[in-house]
């Protein structure tokens, strides 16, 4: 296959969304698998919509995902830079090749205004013909062009497409695809402002950057015949193309904002792990023979291949992504979960949530609650009761356990006995505490639940949570006894 160079070329007109990330990921994995280079190029020629803020968001998202580029902004190779199209435009790169095409008679200045072109297309539709530009400016004489220019009319540059035959694409994923040239019109390659259009700029850039393979979403496949003709017109080698399957929402409609978070940095704020997002997106349009679901990043780099990419649309399933995120969190050590949580607090400006929390106690609490953590944002609500000085007993179910006619007498008995006995409990391990609680139930001739439940709600203010005795062990004797006494004073000393 030879030396591989691939690129991801987002437009900085908004956030980096899931579809774009999948494109970046497949290019990155392909390059890593083949020992090639992954290039990041910013296609910022949309003057009206491109912003520096959006470009920064794209770079931040790529960095969070650890889709590190070999060349691009901040990692320039002088041979191929600059990596922003507007900078390349300033150097006259696109104008040079547009002029070459005009000189060859393969492109021409067009003086038609948008309203004229729209009118041509409307008339073509009315006559049941393909709605295309009719090529009238390609037939102007030199004198006619000079006349229009003397009138102050500005011209775009149109590429002259063949009107007969077919254009053949041998796509690495879709196979052979044929395009009827009669349906394709002469398209604009340079605007009146001197800004190149997408179809022209990306061809020039890909050639000059020596891109060998173009991997992109199949919404770009209609652009491909135009780009192939530009390559041929300039006597350039056409790269290999691979068009990845479309991503649909759970409702079968193309993925969009209405399906929830499609901006990748929103997933970071929600508490998804970078590796979970990468793992899940790798499964959208690619699979292994054994349909494996969970991968480490290094395994993806080793396993990925274009040959295993499918042509059917992929369904983005938020439930599966959430499940996978939980699996990734559970595979981490307590120290790793702690570090991920602290990073999440910082990136969301939520450091105050854990302000003053004892680090070692937090790590122990994370161990107890790890199986319940699906998102990093779940952690505060799962563990904050470990760190409170005033237990919240307002929940109705909590008060019912302590105060209902059926349970208040046994609850009072259990808490008072525990306040007296637990300070003398030499062994405060979970195993010893459970032994104590069960013996108390036997001694007082009550059910074990009548012992367990009052102690749990007195200590945590919750009816559910981690294992009761593991929780008590982690919290420590002094704090457990203090909380039980607080509950007694609040509910039974009135």
């Amino acid at each position: 296959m030879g030396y591989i160079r691939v690129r991801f070329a987002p437009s900085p007109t908004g956030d980096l969304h899931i579809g774009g990330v999948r494109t970046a990921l497949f290019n990155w994995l392909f390059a890593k698998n083949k020992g090639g280079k992954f290039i990041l190029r910013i296609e910022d020629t949309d003057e009206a919509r491109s912003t520096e803020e959006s470009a920064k968001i794209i770079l931040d998202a790529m960095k969070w995902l650890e889709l590190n580029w070999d060349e691009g902004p901040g990692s320039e190779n002088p041979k191929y830079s600059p990596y922003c199209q507007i900078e390349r435009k300033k150097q006259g790169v696109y104008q040079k090749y547009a002029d070459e095409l005009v000189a060859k008679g393969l492109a021409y200045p067009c003086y038609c205004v948008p309203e004229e072109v729209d009118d041509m297309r409307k008339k073509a539709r009315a006559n049941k013909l393909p709605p295309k530009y009719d090529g009238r400016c390609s037939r102007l004489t030199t004198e006619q062009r000079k006349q229009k220019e003397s009138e102050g009319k500005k011209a775009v540059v149109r590429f002259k497409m063949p009107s007969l035959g077919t254009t053949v694409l041998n796509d690495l994923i879709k196979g052979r695809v044929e395009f009827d040239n009669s349906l394709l019109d002469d398209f604009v390659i340079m605007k009146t402002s001197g800004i190149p259009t997408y179809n022209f700029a990306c061809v020039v850039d890909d050639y000059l950057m020596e891109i060998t393979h173009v991997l992109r979403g199949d919404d770009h496949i209609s652009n491909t015949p135009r780009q192939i003709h530009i390559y041929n017109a300039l006597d350039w080698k056409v790269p290999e193309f691979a068009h990845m399957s479309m991503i649909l929402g759970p409702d079968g409609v193309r993925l969009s904002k209405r399906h929830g978070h499609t901006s990748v940095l929103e997933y970071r704020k929600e508490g998804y792990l970078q590796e979970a997002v990468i793992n899940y997106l790798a499964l959208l349009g690619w699979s292994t023979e054994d349909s494996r679901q969970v991968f480490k990043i290094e395994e993806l780099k080793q396993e990925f291949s274009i040959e295993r990419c499918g042509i059917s649309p992929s369904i983005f399933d938020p439930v599966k992504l959430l499940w996978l995120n939980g699996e990734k969190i559970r595979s981490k050590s307590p120290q790793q979960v702690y570090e991920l949580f602290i990073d999440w607090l910082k990136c969301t400006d939520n450091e105050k949530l854990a302000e003053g929390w004892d680090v070692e106690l937090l790590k122990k609490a994370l161990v107890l609650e790890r199986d319940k953590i699906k998102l990093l944002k779940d952690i505060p609500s799962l563990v904050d009761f470990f760190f409170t000085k005033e237990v919240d007993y307002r929940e109705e179910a909590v008060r019912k356990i302590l105060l209902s006619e059926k349970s208040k007498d046994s609850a009072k008995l259990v808490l008072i006995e525990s306040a007296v006995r637990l300070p003398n409990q030499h062994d405060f391990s979970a195993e010893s505490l459970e032994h104590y609680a069960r013996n108390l139930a036997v001694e007082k001739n009550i059910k074990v639940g009548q012992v367990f439940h009052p102690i749990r709600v007195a200590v945590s203010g919750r009816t559910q949570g981690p294992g009761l005795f593991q929780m008590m062990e982690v919290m420590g004797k002094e704090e457990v006894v203090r909380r039980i006494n607080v509950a007694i004073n609040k509910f039974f000393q009135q």
Side-chain angles (χ1 to χ4, degrees):
M1 185 174 283
Y3 186 60
I4 302 295
R5 286 177 61 85
V6 297
R7 50 76 168 174
F8 174 54
S11 175
T13 55
D15 293 341
L16 182 57
H17 298 286
I18 286 298
V21 175
R22 197 272 303 263
T23 297
L25 173 62
F26 278 31
N27 277 278
W28 184 80
L29 289 174
F30 183 65
K32 297 305 175 185
N33 180 267
K34 301 297 183 183
K37 296 289 185 181
F38 173 64
I39 292 95
L40 176 62
R41 184 174 75 225
I42 303 298
E43 298 194 339
D44 55 353
T45 52
D46 187 333
E47 301 161 284
R49 299 170 59 216
S50 294
T51 66
E52 290 185 9
E53 180 184 2
S54 290
K56 183 180 183 302
I57 288 172
I58 290 169
L59 297 182
D60 288 346
M62 294 286 285
K63 289 173 184 175
W64 173 60
L65 293 166
E66 297 182 16
L67 295 178
N68 302 315
W69 50 95
D70 300 297
E71 296 173 20
S75 300
E76 286 83 1
N77 180 333
K79 180 180 178 181
Y80 303 110
S81 63
Y83 292 89
C84 294
Q85 285 184 333
I86 202 67
E87 293 300 318
R88 300 170 74 79
K89 182 262 180 186
K90 291 176 182 177
Q91 295 179 355
V93 172
Y94 309 109
Q95 191 64 55
K96 171 186 174 182
Y97 293 106
D99 290 344
E100 181 178 330
L101 289 171
V102 171
K104 287 182 174 181
L106 299 175
Y108 57 90
C110 171
Y111 303 90
C112 297
V113 296
E115 292 77 11
E116 290 178 273
V117 177
D118 288 341
D119 187 55
M120 290 177 213
R121 288 174 175 157
K122 288 177 183 177
K123 288 179 179 177
R125 287 192 188 96
N127 292 319
K128 297 183 179 179
L129 295 172
K132 50 192 279 191
Y133 175 71
D134 63 12
R136 64 183 61 178
C137 284
S138 67
R139 298 184 288 274
L140 294 176
T141 65
T142 302
E143 290 72 21
Q144 288 172 320
R145 287 174 182 162
K146 288 181 179 179
Q147 176 62 33
K148 290 184 178 295
E149 288 168 7
S150 69
E151 294 170 359
K153 292 187 176 180
K154 294 185 177 181
V156 299
V157 178
R158 287 186 182 272
F159 183 82
K160 189 179 293 184
M161 286 288 286
S163 59
L164 302 174
T166 59
T167 302
V168 177
L169 166 66
N170 291 308
D171 192 276
L172 295 177
I173 294 175
K174 294 181 172 295
R176 183 183 174 90
V177 183
E178 295 187 4
F179 303 91
D180 185 345
N181 290 336
S182 68
L183 301 177
L184 304 173
D185 59 0
D186 295 353
F187 60 97
V188 176
I189 59 173
M190 295 289 283
K191 303 174 187 176
T192 56
S193 62
I195 297 289
T197 60
Y198 165 76
N199 278 315
F200 185 54
C202 74
V203 168
V204 172
D205 289 340
D206 285 347
Y207 169 73
L208 295 178
M209 291 182 177
E210 299 183 17
I211 300 302
T212 61
H213 294 73
V214 176
L215 282 63
R216 57 191 183 185
D218 66 2
D219 53 328
H220 281 286
I221 198 164
S222 61
N223 294 320
T224 311
R226 297 176 174 86
Q227 293 170 12
I228 287 174
H229 282 286
I230 292 174
Y231 278 106
N232 292 335
L234 291 166
D235 297 319
W236 292 343
K237 181 180 178 180
V238 180
E240 298 279 1
F241 285 95
H243 289 88
M244 297 170 281
S245 62
M246 187 177 293
I247 302 176
L248 306 179
D251 56 1
V253 177
R254 186 172 178 175
L255 195 66
S256 66
K257 289 183 179 179
R258 71 194 187 97
H259 294 107
H261 301 303
T262 52
S263 170
V264 69
L265 289 179
E266 287 298 314
Y267 286 93
R268 184 185 190 187
K269 291 177 182 177
E270 284 291 296
Y272 286 89
L273 304 194
Q274 162 264 350
E275 60 193 273
V277 174
I278 292 294
N279 187 158
Y280 183 67
L281 292 182
L283 303 175
L284 296 180
W286 172 81
S287 64
T288 55
E289 289 186 14
D290 59 359
S291 298
R292 183 178 168 190
Q293 299 295 298
V294 181
F295 293 86
K296 295 179 180 178
I297 303 298
E298 286 301 316
E299 293 171 333
L300 286 172
K301 288 193 280 188
Q302 293 172 11
E303 295 282 342
F304 185 82
S305 70
I306 290 293
E307 292 76 17
R308 293 295 306 173
C309 292
I311 61 175
S312 299
S314 303
I315 302 297
F316 183 85
D317 184 357
V319 175
K320 185 174 180 180
L321 173 58
L322 186 62
W323 165 81
L324 185 57
N325 201 63
E327 290 291 304
K328 294 290 185 180
I329 290 174
R330 284 186 285 278
S331 72
K332 303 295 181 184
S333 69
Q335 178 65 27
Q336 288 172 321
V337 176
Y338 166 75
E339 291 173 358
L340 288 166
F341 176 55
I342 296 302
D343 285 344
W344 176 80
L345 288 175
K346 290 177 180 177
C347 87
T348 56
D349 296 323
N350 278 312
E351 286 107 323
K352 288 187 177 180
L353 278 176
E355 200 169 54
W357 288 6
D358 179 86
V359 172
E360 293 307 313
L361 176 57
L362 174 56
K363 290 178 184 178
K364 292 176 182 178
L366 289 172
V367 171
L368 295 185
E369 295 285 35
R370 186 164 57 180
D371 288 348
K372 295 177 185 174
I373 302 171
K374 294 181 179 179
L375 298 167
L376 295 174
K377 76 170 185 178
D378 296 338
I379 291 175
S381 63
L382 288 171
V383 305
D384 59 0
F385 72 89
F386 279 95
F387 307 97
T388 185
K389 292 301 178 184
E390 295 186 16
V391 179
D392 184 356
Y393 297 114
R394 289 174 296 177
E395 186 180 335
E396 184 178 348
V398 168
R399 300 178 73 86
K400 184 177 180 181
I401 288 173
L402 296 177
L403 297 177
S404 70
E405 289 298 323
K406 182 179 179 181
S407 63
K408 66 179 180 179
D409 290 339
S410 60
K412 179 179 179 180
L413 171 66
V414 166
L415 293 184
I416 291 175
E417 288 291 334
S418 295
V420 172
R421 298 187 189 194
L422 287 179
N424 301 315
Q425 183 81 9
H426 176 69
D427 182 356
F428 215 72
S429 67
E431 183 179 1
S432 179
L433 289 169
E434 183 174 0
H435 185 69
Y436 154 78
R438 291 186 182 280
N439 283 346
L440 182 61
V442 172
E443 178 186 329
K444 301 302 180 181
N445 194 30
I446 57 179
K447 297 178 180 179
V448 291
Q450 291 175 286
V451 177
F452 291 7
H453 297 323
I455 294 176
R456 175 182 291 281
V457 298
V459 170
S460 68
R462 304 181 180 196
T463 58
Q464 295 180 332
L468 171 61
F469 307 109
Q470 289 81 3
M471 176 182 72
M472 293 171 68
E473 178 183 344
V474 165
M475 201 171 284
K477 182 195 298 186
E478 182 179 341
E479 181 64 11
V480 166
V481 172
R482 184 189 74 80
R483 293 186 182 203
I484 288 175
N485 278 311
V486 168
I488 292 171
N489 290 331
K490 183 175 182 64
F491 294 103
F492 303 119
Q493 298 294 328
Q494 299 175 356

